[in-house]
């Protein structure tokens, strides 16, 4: 089975979701992951359906609005946001919803999160793949201090879910071994955010091969393991400036993925 390779709409920011569909089609990606955030098109299932039909790019996955900057997208209630993400995935024909673990201050949401994820998977048939995160440097803290904003930790295998998203930019920022983490995720690893990082405590999302993560080894591991999920390029092109540079970066990222997946 050929592993589908998608492009996250976050990879074209500050351009809007429509640009990601167009570029994915032009470059030969297999589909798109929709990052639901401030971009109004990313929140509009009808508009996304039209983009998918026009470009021939299926929506492979939906990234629930889990970021600090998206805490009021769709609803201020994180339970409602996750439910709406699953409903959007169903309407768009996407197999997967990517979600971050609860923030530490979301106590009620955190208490019921594992049960909510299981309920949504049981009733929808959509995989709700919980993503690994990373610690950050606290304001005013020393350069080596790190704190986690997530409950109970940055590692979703500490709780145990049916489905996981492995994000290689996050493992870089966390200085976590992605091969070992993939092993802990086991058959629950159903989604990969492919990117790179240098190990600084921030989310770099470099083009794979430009940082220190074993991106090739992870792809080869998936290739040999019977992985039947999706690989999504979630890279940062906000400094690309002109279209030609963004196209070059996204084409290089796709080529890297296809090469190491044996495609």
């Amino acid at each position: 089975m050929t592993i589908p390779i998608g492009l996250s709409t976050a990879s074209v920011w500050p351009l809007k979701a429509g640009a990601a569909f167009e570029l994915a089609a032009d470059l030969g990606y297999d589909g798109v992951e929709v990052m639901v955030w401030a971009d109004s098109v990313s929140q509009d299932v009808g508009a996304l359906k039209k983009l998918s039909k026009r470009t021939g790019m299926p929506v492979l996955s939906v990234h629930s609005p889990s970021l600090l900057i998206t805490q009021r997208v769709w609803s201020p209630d994180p339970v409602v946001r996750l439910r709406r993400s699953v409903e959007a995935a169903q309407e768009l024909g996407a197999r997967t919803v990517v979600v971050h673990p609860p923030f530490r201050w979301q106590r009620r949401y955190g208490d019921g999160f594992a049960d909510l994820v299981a309920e949504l998977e049981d009733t929808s048939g959509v995989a709700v793949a919980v993503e690994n995160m990373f610690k950050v440097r606290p304001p005013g803290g020393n350069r080596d201090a790190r704190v986690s904003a997530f409950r109970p930790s940055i590692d979703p295998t500490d709780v145990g879910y049916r489905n996981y998203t492995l994000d290689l930019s996050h493992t870089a920022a966390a200085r976590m071994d992605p091969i070992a983490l993939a092993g802990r995720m086991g058959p629950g690893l159903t989604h990969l955010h492919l990117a790179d990082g240098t190990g600084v405590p921030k989310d770099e999302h470099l083009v794979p091969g430009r940082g220190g993560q074993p991106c090739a080894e992870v792809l080869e591991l998936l290739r040999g393991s019977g992985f039947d999920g999706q690989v999504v390029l979630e890279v940062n092109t906000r400094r690309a400036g002109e279209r030609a540079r963004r196209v070059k970066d996204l084409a290089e990222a796709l080529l890297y993925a296809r090469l190491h997946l044996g495609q």
Side-chain angles (χ1 to χ4, degrees), residues 144-157:
D144 295 320
R146 300 287 184 273
V147 295
S148 171
F150 300 97
R151 180 180 180 190
S153 77
I154 61 173
D155 183 349
T157 68

Side-chain angles (χ1 to χ4, degrees), residues 142-217:
N142 70 63
R143 61 182 303 171
D144 295 320
R146 300 287 184 273
V147 295
S148 171
F150 300 97
R151 180 180 180 190
S153 77
I154 61 173
D155 183 349
T157 68
D158 287 344
V159 175
Y161 301 97
R162 293 178 200 167
N163 295 287
Y164 299 100
T165 296
L166 174 60
D167 187 301
L168 299 184
S169 178
H170 294 177
T171 56
R175 298 184 180 178
M176 185 182 291
D177 180 349
I179 302 293
L181 180 56
R184 293 195 297 278
M185 290 177 170
L189 172 51
T190 56
H191 202 71
L192 177 69
H193 276 167
L194 180 58
D196 214 332
T198 62
V200 297
K202 65 179 183 179
D203 206 1
E204 294 177 284
H205 284 290
L206 303 179
V207 171
R210 296 185 186 177
Q213 289 296 281
C215 298
E217 291 87 339

Side-chain angles (χ1 to χ4, degrees), residues 5-7 9 17-34 47-61 92-93 254 258:
I5 302 172
L7 178 66
T9 59
F21 279 84
E22 298 283 357
L23 279 169
D26 290 347
L27 294 173
Y29 280 82
D30 299 316
V32 167
E33 174 172 297
V34 174
L48 293 169
K49 281 183 176 179
K50 290 177 182 177
L51 278 170
S52 178
K53 183 176 181 180
R54 178 165 59 81
T55 61
M57 286 288 98
V59 177
L60 303 177
S61 47
L92 293 165
L254 176 60
R258 292 218 185 278

Side-chain angles (χ1 to χ4, degrees), residues 115-144:
D115 289 339
L116 174 64
V117 167
E119 175 216 319
L120 289 171
E121 291 185 320
D122 286 342
T123 56
S124 70
V126 173
V128 180
V130 185
E131 188 170 13
N132 60 292
M133 301 306 293
F134 57 96
K135 294 181 179 181
V136 297
R137 184 185 302 163
N142 70 63
R143 61 182 303 171
D144 295 320

Side-chain angles (χ1 to χ4, degrees), residues 88-102:
Q90 289 179 293
E91 289 188 57
L92 293 165
R95 292 174 46 191
T96 307
V97 165
V98 177
V99 65
H100 294 176

